[in-house]
């Protein structure tokens, strides 16, 4: 298969080749074994069910001992690899804006009692309408989203959440790191629209917006339908007109209760759009709404006066869902103010694109086998996670070069519209033309191992599951804990 006879294919081929060379340079120990393991992920036939099966792939020229040794004792420069991912060509939204999505996916390890740093991970759907808490390693992924309906996105970062981590603080640090890498790589320049960062329910969007202050970003997050926010505080003229006897000027305005429409008032912006999947979509937006913060929980260590974090509240209502379910109103909060009707439509459409990241989670789990290895240490799990990200990135870079190798019952698709799984089918043909800097293995003899019949004299340590630090909820509790 020729790759270079079309001018349109030269740029993706050069970018994929450069990325493979940079990835090899990011490996600082067991680099040949780790590089070939990533290639085996892409060239294996069918889904990856166990990492030991990858040693039987022709592209992996080493034994299973080298594979486990690379995962357990290899080293990878994650900082350089993150910068390499940020330097790639990034997908953008319809208004030439970078849209990032952050979400957590769990690597469940309920039977790994000897693995440290496991947390209770929330799962849904393992029983009939059951919410279960299962031990595992939660990973926070950051990705750049594409415009339109697609199953593709560009993974930029992965961070394992530990027992001592605060989710909002760690997520803010992760987003700041990704945005700074994008700015350093020249993917965002002065004058470009602010980078839109999208979060699902479970994140404190106003607090993350406060922690990301100073960056050219806009936070868009989903909020619960039982929240209460406040309107802007009245001016001196408005206050004394309503209270002629005087008094102290309030810090917050009237309440805006999501569950009580009588408190909403007239929206500042209202739009109506007709869509193919959701029918008529009606959006209403109220400008300059903010939550009333208290010196409790996440803000208990805040010094000085609590901030007022204003934004735009958006309520989206559609006729029906693609699966036929009963749709409920969707509430979104954006850290930007003064949005027009077109801006409001862009926000809720960008939020719907966040679900493309769920397709990526499904692909890396079911096809690339992200959660299949039974690794003991979280450090080995981190290395395997980065290999999965590298493999998925190579699929995205070679998408314009891939040939549609489809099964007889599958429909043909247009060029550059293949799914990640279908691009993976033809990656072995593309790999022959891509650089492979890994060296051939040297012949060695296996060690003697444990003598036959002897028992293990060093049993592994067993670790508890869950958070190791309990954060104070009130000021009195905080003062009791402090020395």
């Amino acid at each position: 298969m020729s790759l270079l006879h079309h001018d349109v294919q030269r740029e993706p081929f050069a970018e994929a080749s450069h990325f493979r060379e940079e990835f090899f340079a990011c490996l600082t120990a067991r680099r040949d074994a780790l590089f070939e393991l990533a290639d085996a992920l892409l060239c294996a036939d069918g889904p990856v069910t166990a990492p030991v099966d990858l040693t039987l792939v022709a592209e992996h020229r080493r034994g299973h001992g080298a594979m486990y040794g690379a995962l357990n004792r290899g080293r990878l420069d994650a900082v350089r690899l993150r910068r390499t991912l940020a330097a790639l060509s990034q997908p953008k939204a319809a208004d030439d804006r970078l849209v990032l999505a952050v979400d957590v996916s769990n690597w469940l390890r309920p039977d790994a009692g000897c693995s440290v740093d496991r947390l209770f991970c929330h799962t849904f759907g393992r029983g009939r309408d059951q919410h279960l808490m299962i031990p595992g390693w939660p990973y926070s992924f950051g990705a750049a989203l594409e415009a339109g309906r697609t199953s593709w996105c560009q993974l930029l970062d992965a961070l394992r959440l530990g027992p001592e981590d605060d989710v909002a603080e760690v997520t803010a640090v992760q987003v700041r790191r990704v945005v700074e890498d994008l700015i350093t790589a020249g993917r965002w320049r002065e004058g470009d629209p602010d980078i839109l960062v999208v979060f699902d329910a479970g994140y404190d969007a106003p607090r993350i917006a406060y922690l990301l202050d100073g960056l050219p970003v806009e936070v868009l997050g989903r909020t619960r339908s039982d929240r209460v926010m406040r309107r802007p505080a009245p001016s001196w003229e408005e206050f004394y007109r309503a209270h002629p006897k005087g008094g102290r000027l309030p810090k917050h305005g009237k309440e805006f209760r999501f569950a009580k429409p009588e408190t909403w008032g007239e929206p500042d912006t209202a739009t109506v759009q007709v869509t193919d999947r959701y029918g008529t979509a009606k959006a209403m937006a109220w400008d300059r709404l903010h939550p009333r913060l208290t010196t409790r929980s996440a803000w208990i260590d805040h010094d000085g006066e609590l901030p007022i974090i204003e934004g735009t509240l958006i309520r989206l209502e559609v006729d029906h869902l693609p699966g036929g379910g009963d749709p409920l109103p969707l509430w979104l909060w954006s850290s930007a103010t003064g949005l027009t009707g077109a801006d409001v439509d862009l926000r809720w459409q960008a939020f719907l694109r966040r679900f493309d990241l769920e397709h990526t989670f499904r692909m890396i789990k079911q096809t690339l086998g992200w959660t299949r290895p039974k690794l003991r240490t979280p450090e080995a799990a981190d290395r395997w996670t980065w290999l999965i990200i590298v493999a998925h990135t190579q699929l995205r870079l070679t998408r314009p070069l891939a040939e549609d190798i489809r099964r007889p019952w599958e429909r043909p698709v247009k060029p550059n519209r293949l799914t990640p799984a279908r691009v993976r089918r033809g990656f072995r043909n593309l790999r022959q033309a891509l650089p492979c800097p890994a060296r051939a293995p040297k012949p060695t003899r296996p060690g003697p191992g444990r003598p036959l019949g002897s028992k293990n004299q060093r049993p592994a340590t067993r670790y508890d599951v869950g958070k190791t630090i309990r954060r104070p909820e009130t000021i009195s509790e905080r003062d009791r804990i402090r020395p």
Side-chain angles (χ1 to χ4, degrees), residues 102-119:
V102 180
D103 202 359
V104 174
S105 185
N106 301 318
W107 184 341
L108 302 181
R109 297 301 310 276
D111 54 348
C114 298
S115 295
V116 68
D117 292 347
R118 290 184 304 159
L119 299 177

Side-chain angles (χ1 to χ4, degrees), residues 90-99 145-148 187-188 192:
Q90 303 296 332
K92 293 187 177 181
D95 63 340
D96 200 31
R97 179 196 302 265
L98 279 171
V99 180
L145 302 180
E146 294 192 1
R187 295 305 170 185
W188 185 91
D192 293 345

Side-chain angles (χ1 to χ4, degrees), residues 82-144:
R82 281 196 303 265
R83 295 173 179 172
T84 302
L85 293 171
L88 298 175
S89 57
Q90 303 296 332
K92 293 187 177 181
D95 63 340
D96 200 31
R97 179 196 302 265
L98 279 171
V99 180
L100 305 181
V102 180
D103 202 359
V104 174
S105 185
N106 301 318
W107 184 341
L108 302 181
R109 297 301 310 276
D111 54 348
C114 298
S115 295
V116 68
D117 292 347
R118 290 184 304 159
L119 299 177
F120 287 106
C121 304
H122 178 267
T123 60
F124 175 75
R126 290 184 163 263
R128 180 173 295 180
D129 298 332
Q130 287 184 351
H131 295 260
L132 303 178
M133 302 298 292
I134 300 178
W137 289 315
Y139 277 83
S140 176
F141 287 87

Side-chain angles (χ1 to χ4, degrees), residues 137-197:
W137 289 315
Y139 277 83
S140 176
F141 287 87
L145 302 180
E146 294 192 1
R149 292 175 53 193
T150 179
S151 57
W152 290 94
C153 67
Q154 175 59 60
L155 294 174
L156 297 174
D157 191 18
L159 179 65
R160 178 173 46 83
L161 302 179
E164 301 179 0
D165 293 335
D166 179 81
V167 176
E169 294 178 357
V170 172
T171 303
V173 172
Q174 182 183 23
V175 173
R176 180 177 293 273
R177 185 171 58 195
V178 170
V179 171
E180 290 176 350
D181 290 342
L182 291 172
I183 296 175
T184 303
R187 295 305 170 185
W188 185 91
R189 295 180 175 87
E190 194 71 29
D192 293 345
D194 288 347
I195 301 175
L196 185 62
V197 187

Side-chain angles (χ1 to χ4, degrees), residues 352-482:
L352 295 182
R353 295 276 61 80
R354 190 212 68 83
F355 293 98
D356 296 340
L357 189 56
E358 303 293 341
H359 296 290
T360 302
F361 290 157
R362 182 177 180 180
M363 190 270 173
I364 64 176
K365 286 184 177 181
Q366 297 186 359
T367 303
L368 297 181
W370 172 46
T371 58
R372 288 290 185 173
K374 305 298 182 182
L375 303 175
R376 174 176 292 182
T377 63
E379 293 78 14
D382 294 343
R383 297 186 194 100
W384 175 255
T385 302
W386 279 114
L387 291 183
I388 295 294
I389 293 177
V390 168
H392 184 270
T393 301
Q394 293 189 62
L395 292 179
R396 176 180 171 270
L397 295 178
T398 57
R399 176 174 50 166
L401 309 173
E403 184 181 357
D404 186 11
I405 302 177
R406 59 187 180 89
R407 297 185 177 95
W409 57 84
E410 292 178 339
R411 297 180 180 179
V413 298
K414 297 180 180 179
N416 206 22
R417 293 293 298 176
L418 295 175
T419 62
R422 289 174 73 163
V423 172
R424 180 172 175 261
R425 294 177 192 171
F427 186 84
R428 176 172 288 172
N429 300 330
L430 300 174
R431 182 182 178 273
Q432 300 174 4
L434 295 172
C436 298
R439 297 167 297 181
K442 298 179 181 180
T444 58
R445 282 189 174 185
R450 185 190 304 170
L452 186 63
S454 63
K455 295 183 178 180
N456 183 15
Q457 302 297 327
R458 294 181 297 176
T461 306
R462 305 187 72 87
Y463 300 93
D464 296 331
V465 184
K467 292 285 187 179
T468 57
I469 293 181
R470 182 181 180 275
R471 302 179 185 276
E473 295 290 338
T474 61
I475 297 178
S476 58
E477 185 179 357
R478 180 199 62 184
D479 294 340
R480 289 196 303 269
I481 295 176
R482 287 180 176 178

Side-chain angles (χ1 to χ4, degrees), residues 130-361:
Q130 287 184 351
H131 295 260
L132 303 178
M133 302 298 292
I134 300 178
W137 289 315
Y139 277 83
S140 176
F141 287 87
L145 302 180
E146 294 192 1
R149 292 175 53 193
T150 179
S151 57
W152 290 94
C153 67
Q154 175 59 60
L155 294 174
L156 297 174
D157 191 18
L159 179 65
R160 178 173 46 83
L161 302 179
E164 301 179 0
D165 293 335
D166 179 81
V167 176
E169 294 178 357
V170 172
T171 303
V173 172
Q174 182 183 23
V175 173
R176 180 177 293 273
R177 185 171 58 195
V178 170
V179 171
E180 290 176 350
D181 290 342
L182 291 172
I183 296 175
T184 303
R187 295 305 170 185
W188 185 91
R189 295 180 175 87
E190 194 71 29
D192 293 345
D194 288 347
I195 301 175
L196 185 62
V197 187
V198 185
F199 298 92
D200 199 6
Y203 290 91
D204 190 351
R207 185 183 177 208
I208 294 179
Y210 175 79
L211 295 174
L212 294 178
D213 186 34
L215 289 179
V217 299
E218 174 189 343
V219 174
L220 178 67
R222 183 179 179 179
T223 60
R224 301 192 312 269
S225 59
D226 59 349
R227 290 288 301 273
V228 178
M229 287 195 174
R230 290 300 187 102
R231 299 183 184 275
S235 62
W236 284 99
E237 296 180 359
E238 295 174 344
F239 177 74
Y240 284 114
R241 193 180 304 119
H243 303 82
K245 294 184 179 181
R248 186 177 63 178
L249 185 68
K251 185 178 180 180
H252 308 279
K254 295 182 179 180
E255 288 186 344
F256 185 102
R257 293 183 175 271
F258 293 10
K260 292 185 177 182
E262 59 270 17
T263 64
W264 298 352
E266 292 296 326
D268 297 309
T269 305
T271 62
V272 178
Q273 281 197 6
V274 180
T275 63
D276 296 335
R277 293 172 58 83
Y278 303 98
T280 303
K282 301 177 182 179
M284 296 185 295
W286 293 267
D287 197 19
R288 298 186 60 193
L289 264 64
H290 64 274
R292 182 177 180 178
L293 305 179
T294 58
T295 313
R296 296 174 61 89
S297 189
W299 298 93
I300 196 168
D301 292 327
H302 182 79
D303 296 330
E305 190 176 0
L306 291 173
I308 296 179
I309 309 171
E310 292 185 340
T312 301
L313 184 65
I314 303 173
R315 183 181 186 271
L316 178 65
E317 187 175 3
V318 298
D319 291 339
H320 55 80
L321 298 177
D326 186 18
L328 297 176
L330 183 68
W331 293 91
L332 304 174
W333 184 88
S334 171
S335 60
T337 57
L339 299 181
T340 63
D343 295 335
V344 170
D345 290 337
L346 177 66
R347 266 62 179 179
W348 66 259
Q349 291 170 3
F351 177 80
L352 295 182
R353 295 276 61 80
R354 190 212 68 83
F355 293 98
D356 296 340
L357 189 56
E358 303 293 341
H359 296 290
T360 302
F361 290 157

